[in-house]
């Protein structure tokens, strides 16, 4: 949860704010009828922020010691990537696979499709998933999620993956996010394969799992910290329905892995329902912030 540092309305905290930024302690400023508030971007910086506040109150120098190694500012791109390592790793893997497809599309497809395939001329030959598993090719249960067949397809998925994945990782932890991602890849890929399709790919099923998880969790646990505008859910569900109609083809989107989308969404909803049952509800207001206005 974001930590809050509160000060009286008449306090001049410009020097303190300047020092916080010098020490790479990212924060947002707000003001209400009770006073001024500095919201820390990263909870782990709270102790160092308290030290600087105490120095500021005592009138001591807050100049950064050259021997100190400052933390990465959370507002910087590198800080954002470091704060979400699992989300960043998945995005990097998708980009790497897309680059591989650009160099040798056939090799990438044959290696990462849900079942072993061979393309000779205009003919596609495919084995079964059962055969792949008998050959210990376990990765095929998950690898189709990393395949993307156009730049727009890739960018669309990665933007939503960054938006939702980063929230889950920050608020629920990297292990829960990782479990959700792996489960979503498995369920969405198997759902699409069950339709008899072998050549498919994309993170869309995973994205819809994140959508279902974050949306339901935020509704069942309003103080969870998740940000999910209502109209965004309307758009995502509307897009899901649109892709299930012939209109998707008319608009030039071609074949869409609808079953993967739906499978991912249902998994995300189930995970959101289950996860909300074990959410540690806060009962004391002080749990949400540190009020240092004494």
């Amino acid at each position: 949860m974001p930590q809050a540092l509160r000060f009286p309305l008449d306090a001049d905290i410009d020097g303190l704010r300047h020092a916080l930024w010098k020490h790479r302690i990212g924060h947002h400023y707000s003001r209400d009828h009770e006073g001024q508030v500095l919201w820390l971007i990263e909870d782990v910086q709270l102790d160092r922020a308290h030290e600087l506040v105490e120095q500021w109150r005592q009138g001591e120098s807050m100049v950064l010691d050259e021997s100190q190694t400052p933390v990465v500012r959370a507002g910087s791109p590198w800080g954002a990537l470091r704060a979400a390592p699992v989300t960043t790793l998945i995005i990097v893997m998708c980009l790497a696979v897309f680059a591989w497809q650009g160099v040798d599309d056939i090799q990438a497809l044959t290696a990462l499709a849900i079942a072993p395939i061979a393309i000779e001329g205009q003919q596609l030959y495919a084995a079964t998933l059962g055969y792949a598993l008998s050959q210990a090719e376990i990765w095929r249960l998950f690898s189709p999620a990393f395949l993307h067949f156009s730049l727009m397809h890739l960018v669309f998925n990665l933007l939503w993956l960054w938006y939702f994945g980063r929230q889950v990782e920050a608020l629920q932890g990297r292990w829960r996010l990782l479990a959700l991602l792996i489960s979503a890849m498995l369920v969405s890929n198997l759902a699409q394969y069950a339709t008899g399709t072998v050549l498919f790919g994309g993170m869309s099923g995973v994205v819809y799992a994140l959508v279902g998880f974050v949306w339901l969790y935020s509704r069942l646990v309003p103080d969870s910290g998740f940000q999910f505008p209502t109209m965004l859910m309307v758009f995502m569900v509307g897009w899901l329905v649109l892709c299930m109609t012939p209109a998707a083809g008319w608009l030039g989107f071609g074949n869409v892995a609808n079953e993967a989308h739906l499978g991912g969404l249902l998994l995300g909803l189930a995970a959101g329902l289950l996860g909300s049952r074990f959410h540690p509800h806060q009962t004391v207001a002080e749990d949400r912030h540190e009020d240092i206005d004494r």
Side-chain angles (χ1 to χ4, degrees):
M1 294 291 182
Q3 302 293 328
L5 308 178
R6 294 184 176 274
F7 305 87
L9 284 170
D10 58 353
D12 182 4
I13 62 174
D14 287 346
L16 173 61
R17 293 194 62 197
H18 182 72
L20 289 172
W21 284 120
K22 283 288 186 181
H23 286 258
R24 303 295 190 268
I25 300 178
H27 60 275
H28 296 296
Y29 174 82
S30 66
R31 186 185 183 97
D32 55 33
H33 66 282
E34 296 181 352
Q36 303 176 81
V37 186
L38 298 181
W39 296 93
L40 299 187
I41 295 176
E42 290 188 347
D43 293 352
V44 295
Q45 298 176 325
L46 181 61
D47 290 341
R48 183 58 183 142
H50 274 303
E51 293 176 8
L52 290 174
V53 170
E54 189 59 31
Q55 291 178 253
W56 171 74
R57 289 186 184 280
Q58 300 297 328
E60 300 176 6
S61 172
M62 294 178 289
V63 176
L64 182 64
D65 186 345
E66 293 183 359
S67 64
Q68 291 179 300
T69 302
V71 297
V72 177
R73 178 176 168 181
S76 69
W78 179 238
L81 294 175
R82 287 190 60 184
V86 173
T87 306
T88 300
L89 175 62
I90 298 299
I91 288 175
V92 169
M93 290 175 68
C94 287
L95 292 171
V97 170
F98 191 70
W100 182 13
Q101 290 179 259
V103 174
D104 193 334
D105 192 36
I106 302 300
Q107 185 183 50
L109 292 177
T110 55
L112 301 180
I114 196 167
I117 64 172
I119 302 175
E120 297 181 6
Q122 300 297 317
Q123 189 67 38
L124 172 68
Y125 300 93
T128 65
L129 177 58
Y131 173 79
L133 296 180
S134 71
Q135 301 299 307
E137 297 181 356
I138 308 297
W139 73 85
R140 292 187 185 274
L141 291 168
F142 312 97
S143 57
F146 295 95
L147 292 168
H148 291 84
F149 302 109
S150 71
L151 182 60
M152 184 176 71
H153 186 207
L154 175 72
V155 171
F156 185 84
N157 282 339
L158 295 193
L159 285 175
W160 291 122
L161 179 63
W162 178 250
Y163 180 79
F164 292 113
R166 198 166 49 139
Q167 287 194 54
V168 176
E169 190 164 3
L171 298 172
Q172 302 274 311
R174 64 190 61 174
W175 292 112
R176 177 167 291 191
L177 173 64
L178 188 60
L180 182 59
L181 293 176
I182 292 174
S183 300
M185 290 179 196
L186 178 63
V187 170
S188 60
N189 288 339
L190 289 178
Q192 192 61 40
Y193 179 71
T195 67
T197 307
V198 174
L199 195 56
F200 62 87
M203 278 283 164
S204 301
V206 174
V207 167
Y208 269 100
L210 292 171
V211 167
F213 178 81
V214 173
W215 175 78
L216 188 57
Y217 206 113
S218 67
R219 294 304 180 271
L220 297 177
V221 188
D223 65 346
S224 63
F226 284 124
Q227 301 295 319
F228 201 116
T230 301
M231 286 308 299
L232 181 56
M233 188 60 176
V234 173
F235 168 78
M236 297 302 290
V237 173
W239 180 259
L240 177 66
V241 173
L242 174 67
C243 290
M244 292 181 176
T245 68
W250 301 339
L251 295 174
F253 291 105
N255 296 325
V256 179
N258 296 313
E259 290 75 11
H261 296 179
L262 184 58
L265 179 61
L266 293 177
L267 172 75
L269 291 173
L273 178 62
L274 180 63
S276 67
R277 299 290 179 88
F278 299 97
H279 182 82
H281 295 278
Q282 302 286 358
T283 57
V284 182
E286 284 74 11
D287 287 338
R288 293 182 61 89
H289 68 265
E290 293 279 344
D291 191 341
I292 64 171
D293 180 17
R294 299 167 183 167

